[in-house]
Amino acid sequence: MFSSLRWRMRSLLTASVAAGLLAMSAVGTVSAAPMKASDHTARTWYVQTGAQSPNMLIQGMVFLPGTITIDVGDTIVWQAHSAEPHTVTFNAAPNAQFNPFAPAVGNGAMFDGTGYVSSGAMANVSSETAGFPVEREFSLTFTKAGTFQYVCLVHPGMGGAVVVQPAGTPYPESQRQYEQQGRHQTSRIIAAGYQLKAQDQRASNNHYVIAGDTNMEVGADVMAYMRHTVVIHVGESVSFVNKSAEPHTITFGDEIGDPTNPWCADDCSASTLPSHGPIFGGNYSATLSGTDAVFNSGWVFTGVQVTVTFTHPGVYEYHCALHDYMGMVGKVIVEP
Ligand SMILES: [Cu+2]
C-alpha cells in the first residue's frame, strides 16, 4: 500500500553506497573472532527494538533495555517490536544514513566490538506493508569484555549499549527484570504520546493541523494528523505543520510519479500540480482544484509548514505516505 514514495528513500540516501562498501569490507572481521571456551554457560538475552501502542499510533524510539549487561560468550537477540523501522548498528560511519534496502551485516556473528555490524531495517510488519525488506530479529554473540554502543540509523539520537563482563561474572539484572522495566517504559511512552496528541489536538483547528509530533524526552512519536477532520469553505486553506523529528507527507490521491527521483514526489512533468521532494525548511503551498486532484508534498521535515488551498467543494482524504499504515490519515471537508 502506498509504497511508491518509500521507494524514493533509496536514491535520497547517497551515503548508502559508501555504507554498503564499508559493510562488505567489514564482513570478514566480524565472523572471524574465535570464542574462548569456558565453564560459563552462555546465555541468550533479548532486547526489544522499538515500542508502540497496540494501534501503532504512538511509536517509541527506544531499545528496551537501553543498556544490557551480559557476560563474554552470551548472545543478544534484538527483536522488532514496532511498525516503525529501526536498525541495530555498531560502529556506524559518522553521518551514516539509513538505507532501507541495505541487507543485514553480521547477523548471528561472533562480535568482538570491532567492525561494522548492522541489522538492516527491523519492524514487526510485513515487507510489503513497510515498502522495503524488513527483518524481525538480529543476533550477535559477544566475545570480548567491554562496553559497546550502538545506534539506530533511522532515528538520530536513538541508541543503546551492551556491557560485556568477563565470563562467569554475576549478572546485575535478569531478563525478567529487564522486561518488567521495559513494560513500564512502554507505558510511559504511550501515555506521553497520547498526552502530546491531546495537547496538539487543542492547538489545531480547521485551518491549522499539526502533522506529527515528538516528545524527545521519553522518545514518543505521534503518528497522526492531530485534527483528523477539518471543515472549511471554498477558497480557504489548511496549513499542515510537522512538529515531529520524523518526516511526514501530506498526500492527496494516489502516490504516482518516478519512484527513483527523490525530488519529485509526483510525476515531475505532471500537469496536475507542482510537487516537491524533501522539504527541509521554509514553507510550501499548493492549490487543489477538485477532489480528483493529486498532490503529494514529498517528505516534510521538522518545522515545515505546507499550506493547501481548496477551490472546489467536496470531501478530500489525505494520508502520510510513510505512516499511513499506522493510522496517519486525515480528511478535509470543503463546503460551498
Ligand atoms: Cu508520517
Side-chain angles (χ1 to χ4, degrees):
M1 68 203 283
F2 302 124
S3 61
S4 71
L5 184 76
R6 263 163 259 139
W7 280 84
R8 238 143 283 161
M9 259 168 149
R10 227 156 322 164
S11 27
L12 181 70
L13 309 161
T14 47
S16 64
V17 175
L21 290 172
L22 177 66
M24 283 194 295
S25 65
V27 163
T29 60
V30 290
S31 49
M35 209 181 97
K36 275 184 198 155
S38 79
D39 301 337
H40 170 68
T41 309
R43 282 202 198 177
T44 298
W45 300 83
Y46 297 90
V47 172
Q48 185 178 328
T49 302
Q52 65 183 11
S53 60
N55 63 2
M56 301 183 277
L57 208 63
I58 311 299
Q59 292 290 322
M61 305 300 155
V62 288
F63 295 100
L64 299 173
T67 299
I68 188 166
T69 301
I70 64 169
D71 284 3
V72 165
D74 289 356
T75 297
I76 296 178
V77 180
W78 282 268
Q79 296 180 312
H81 276 251
S82 66
E84 176 72 7
H86 301 288
T87 76
V88 173
T89 305
F90 287 85
N91 302 318
N95 302 316
Q97 302 267 357
F98 172 54
N99 171 6
F101 293 88
V105 175
N107 188 18
M110 298 289 168
F111 182 60
D112 66 1
T114 65
Y116 177 85
V117 293
S118 187
S119 63
M122 293 177 67
N124 66 3
V125 295
S126 70
S127 298
E128 194 192 5
T129 299
F132 46 81
V134 291
E135 299 293 336
R136 298 283 169 133
E137 288 192 347
F138 181 72
S139 73
L140 292 172
T141 299
F142 289 79
T143 59
K144 246 189 175 173
T147 298
F148 308 108
Q149 314 268 356
Y150 61 96
V151 299
C152 168
L153 291 177
V154 190
H155 303 104
M158 176 177 170
V162 179
V163 178
V164 185
Q165 312 178 124
T169 310
Y171 300 110
E173 295 190 81
S174 66
Q175 179 73 45
R176 203 188 160 133
Q177 284 171 308
Y178 286 131
E179 282 169 14
Q180 275 169 355
Q181 292 158 14
R183 281 193 290 274
H184 266 284
Q185 207 174 333
T186 300
S187 301
R188 277 185 59 214
I189 288 166
I190 294 172
Y194 276 112
Q195 199 182 355
L196 186 59
K197 185 168 184 281
Q199 186 186 310
D200 285 347
Q201 205 164 339
R202 288 192 293 274
S204 296
N205 59 52
N206 283 322
H207 298 278
Y208 177 83
V209 176
I210 295 171
D213 203 348
T214 306
N215 177 328
M216 294 298 277
E217 207 184 308
V218 298
D221 220 295
V222 185
M223 302 295 184
Y225 301 106
M226 304 303 182
R227 194 175 169 118
H228 176 272
T229 302
V230 298
V231 183
I232 61 167
H233 289 98
V234 164
E236 293 179 345
S237 307
V238 181
S239 292
F240 302 90
V241 180
N242 182 6
K243 289 179 71 180
S244 78
E246 304 267 327
H248 295 291
T249 80
I250 317 298
T251 304
F252 290 84
D254 290 338
E255 295 165 28
I256 55 164
D258 175 6
T260 63
N261 186 345
W263 299 100
C264 294
D266 292 323
D267 179 0
C268 296
S269 61
S271 54
T272 49
L273 280 166
S275 300
H276 287 256
I279 307 175
F280 292 100
N283 296 342
Y284 175 67
S285 30
T287 301
L288 272 188
S289 58
T291 50
D292 57 347
V294 171
F295 169 67
N296 192 342
S297 65
W299 292 19
V300 173
F301 283 83
T302 314
V304 174
Q305 178 167 315
V306 174
T307 300
V308 183
T309 303
F310 298 82
T311 58
H312 288 73
V315 176
Y316 296 75
E317 294 193 345
Y318 65 95
H319 65 274
C320 172
L322 299 166
H323 304 109
D324 51 347
Y325 64 95
M326 299 174 194
M328 193 159 183
V329 297
K331 194 189 283 184
V332 179
I333 298 172
V334 182
E335 296 182 334

